[in-house]
Amino acid sequence: MPVLRSLEQDFGKRQPLAGSKVAAALNVTGEAAQLVRVLLAGGARVLVVSSKSTTFDPEAGREMAALGARVLDAPLQESGSGVREVLGFAPDLVVDNGELALLWSRTDGATPVLGGTAHSRNAVQKVAEAGGALPFPLFSVAASSLKSAVETAHGTGQAALLGVLDAGVQLAGKSVLVVGYGTTGRAVADYARGCHCRVEIAEVSPVAAVRAVYEGHRLVELDRALPAADVVITVTDARRVLSLERLRALKDGAVLGGIGHSAEEIDRAALATAATGRTAAPGRVDYVLDGKRLTLLEGPGGNHVYAGINPPEMMDISLALHALCLTHLAARPASHDGPPPRLLPVPAEVEAEVARRKLAALGHDWRPDPDREAS
């Protein structure tokens, strides 16, 4: 993760977060430990809260603690003591999965937060669905054009297909139905085509649908396409996209998996109840439904996001965006008003800085035209 290494050296010299307290709701992994290393090098005090129990790596937690961070191994929604500790920590800045913003929106008298970053598109939806407004500004790293163009396109796209391959599924020559053609769905479809699959797209947005057509994919209606699909991958974040009725329509031997953030994107509970047979194996659960064999892909610990995490080389980009967005907030003079309490785009100068560092790490001696860069 060369961009984070370069930021660690730079932060160690400049101390851009000196005196700041950062609360970070993260998947506690080895990659996230490198972000914590950067924040600590910049002078911050760091409290890490596990984002999900299924993505908590004890070794990574121990590494973060050895670096000097305080690590809570239970997600906030599962720990009353964790909630009290986070509020008592009184952070200035946050890296959020939505739980921190939700906590602040529900807590009267909580110490004000300057702002932070959101690392998934559904992070702020948690607050909106609860009927509240964001209590502080959040830079949407998930919506960064740099992240979408590089990490999502090549990190998530590769991870999605790797998850299928790791479950022992042959892809070449198969019909792959991608449900949802947003940024991530497009990445999955591109990598599936690279594996010599016949790719079909089911999409409800006319704008996304026409983009899929012009990028060479076959547009289909979901219910008509399901009976012929060999592999179905849902990328929608919506609930019950694959209901039990739709699961019954799948062919014998079909493989399905979800990489959206909704645990109910595929109606797993209904499938488990209706199935007459169930056999678990690493990365998959095989069911017998109406006499047909269906394979449901799963991540570690039964995680509904079967694809796992992106390669570290790709996560280097988004984690660096988090770090630099926090310094952008911390650098605001006390006499100036900060950004409004809403979801904000990542500052262009932050994206440019991360891109320049990534190019240098990849060995590209890139020099912009000074006149064009200035304009």
Side-chain angles (χ1 to χ4, degrees), residues 121-201:
R121 283 186 170 85
N122 76 326
V124 295
Q125 290 176 5
K126 295 179 181 179
V127 182
E129 289 172 358
L134 281 180
F136 43 73
L138 284 173
F139 288 117
S140 179
V141 169
S144 160
S145 59
L146 175 61
K147 183 182 188 301
S148 297
V150 182
E151 182 183 333
T152 303
H154 301 290
T156 308
Q158 174 177 298
L161 271 294
L162 182 61
V164 179
L165 294 169
D166 283 348
V169 178
Q170 168 66 37
L171 277 174
K174 297 292 179 65
S175 170
V176 175
L177 173 60
V178 179
V179 186
Y181 200 72
T183 302
T184 306
R186 182 188 183 201
V188 173
D190 284 347
Y191 268 75
R193 180 160 53 188
C195 288
H196 307 291
C197 301
R198 302 188 308 277
V199 181
E200 297 181 327
I201 306 297

Side-chain angles (χ1 to χ4, degrees), residues 8-29:
E8 182 185 357
Q9 295 173 356
D10 180 40
F11 278 28
K13 296 174 183 176
R14 296 194 296 112
Q15 295 285 288
L17 296 173
S20 296
K21 291 182 287 185
V22 179
L26 296 168
N27 293 324
V28 178
T29 64

Side-chain angles (χ1 to χ4, degrees), residues 226-227 242-252 270-271 273-276 288-292 294:
L226 284 171
L242 291 187
S243 62
L244 180 59
E245 181 181 359
R246 284 174 167 163
L247 293 171
R248 292 187 188 278
L250 292 168
K251 68 195 298 187
D252 183 34
L271 173 59
T273 300
T276 55
V288 178
L289 180 66
D290 299 340
K292 295 181 291 187
L294 301 180

Side-chain angles (χ1 to χ4, degrees), residues 9-374:
Q9 295 173 356
D10 180 40
F11 278 28
K13 296 174 183 176
R14 296 194 296 112
Q15 295 285 288
L17 296 173
S20 296
K21 291 182 287 185
V22 179
L26 296 168
N27 293 324
V28 178
T29 64
E31 292 79 11
Q34 303 314 304
L35 171 61
V36 171
R37 184 185 294 273
V38 171
L39 300 179
L40 291 167
R45 289 174 55 197
V46 180
L47 172 65
V48 176
V49 184
S50 175
S51 186
K52 288 187 288 189
S53 298
T54 53
T55 56
F56 182 84
D57 179 352
E59 184 176 345
R62 289 190 291 270
E63 180 182 356
M64 292 177 180
L67 291 169
R70 169 75 174 126
V71 181
L72 306 182
D73 59 5
L76 284 184
Q77 62 270 31
E78 299 176 9
S79 172
S81 62
V83 167
R84 291 189 292 274
E85 185 161 354
V86 170
L87 290 171
F89 183 65
D92 306 293
L93 303 164
V94 301
V95 177
D96 202 6
N97 67 342
E99 292 298 330
L100 296 171
L102 186 59
L103 174 60
W104 254 254
S105 70
R106 291 173 166 174
T107 305
D108 293 332
T111 304
V113 173
L114 284 176
T117 56
H119 53 74
S120 68
R121 283 186 170 85
N122 76 326
V124 295
Q125 290 176 5
K126 295 179 181 179
V127 182
E129 289 172 358
L134 281 180
F136 43 73
L138 284 173
F139 288 117
S140 179
V141 169
S144 160
S145 59
L146 175 61
K147 183 182 188 301
S148 297
V150 182
E151 182 183 333
T152 303
H154 301 290
T156 308
Q158 174 177 298
L161 271 294
L162 182 61
V164 179
L165 294 169
D166 283 348
V169 178
Q170 168 66 37
L171 277 174
K174 297 292 179 65
S175 170
V176 175
L177 173 60
V178 179
V179 186
Y181 200 72
T183 302
T184 306
R186 182 188 183 201
V188 173
D190 284 347
Y191 268 75
R193 180 160 53 188
C195 288
H196 307 291
C197 301
R198 302 188 308 277
V199 181
E200 297 181 327
I201 306 297
E203 174 56 69
V204 296
S205 163
V207 175
V210 76
R211 182 175 189 175
V213 169
Y214 271 95
E215 290 177 348
H217 300 300
R218 181 168 179 257
L219 191 66
V220 296
E221 195 276 321
L222 178 58
D223 289 317
R224 292 184 180 181
L226 284 171
D230 297 305
V231 178
V232 183
I233 300 174
T234 60
V235 203
T236 69
D237 289 348
R239 293 185 174 90
R240 297 183 184 85
V241 174
L242 291 187
S243 62
L244 180 59
E245 181 181 359
R246 284 174 167 163
L247 293 171
R248 292 187 188 278
L250 292 168
K251 68 195 298 187
D252 183 34
V255 177
L256 57 148
I259 57 175
H261 287 282
S262 172
E264 299 176 14
E265 194 172 38
I266 299 170
D267 198 341
R268 302 156 65 93
L271 173 59
T273 300
T276 55
R278 181 185 185 277
T279 305
R284 60 189 284 172
V285 179
D286 296 320
Y287 290 97
V288 178
L289 180 66
D290 299 340
K292 295 181 291 187
R293 295 171 295 110
L294 301 180
T295 294
L296 176 63
L297 302 178
E298 287 191 339
N303 194 342
H304 66 277
V305 181
Y306 79 85
I309 62 173
N310 290 343
E313 179 183 346
M314 295 289 102
M315 294 183 70
D316 192 29
I317 291 172
S318 59
L319 294 177
L321 289 171
H322 282 291
L324 285 175
C325 282
L326 294 183
T327 65
H328 184 87
L329 288 163
R332 178 179 63 85
S335 58
H336 291 186
D337 290 333
R342 58 181 174 84
L343 195 63
L344 301 164
V346 171
E349 60 268 31
V350 169
E351 289 194 323
E353 177 65 17
V354 173
R356 280 192 289 264
R357 288 176 183 263
K358 194 66 173 180
L359 284 168
L362 294 171
H364 294 280
D365 187 19
W366 179 79
R367 294 289 187 275
D369 181 306
D371 294 330
R372 292 189 65 183
E373 186 179 43

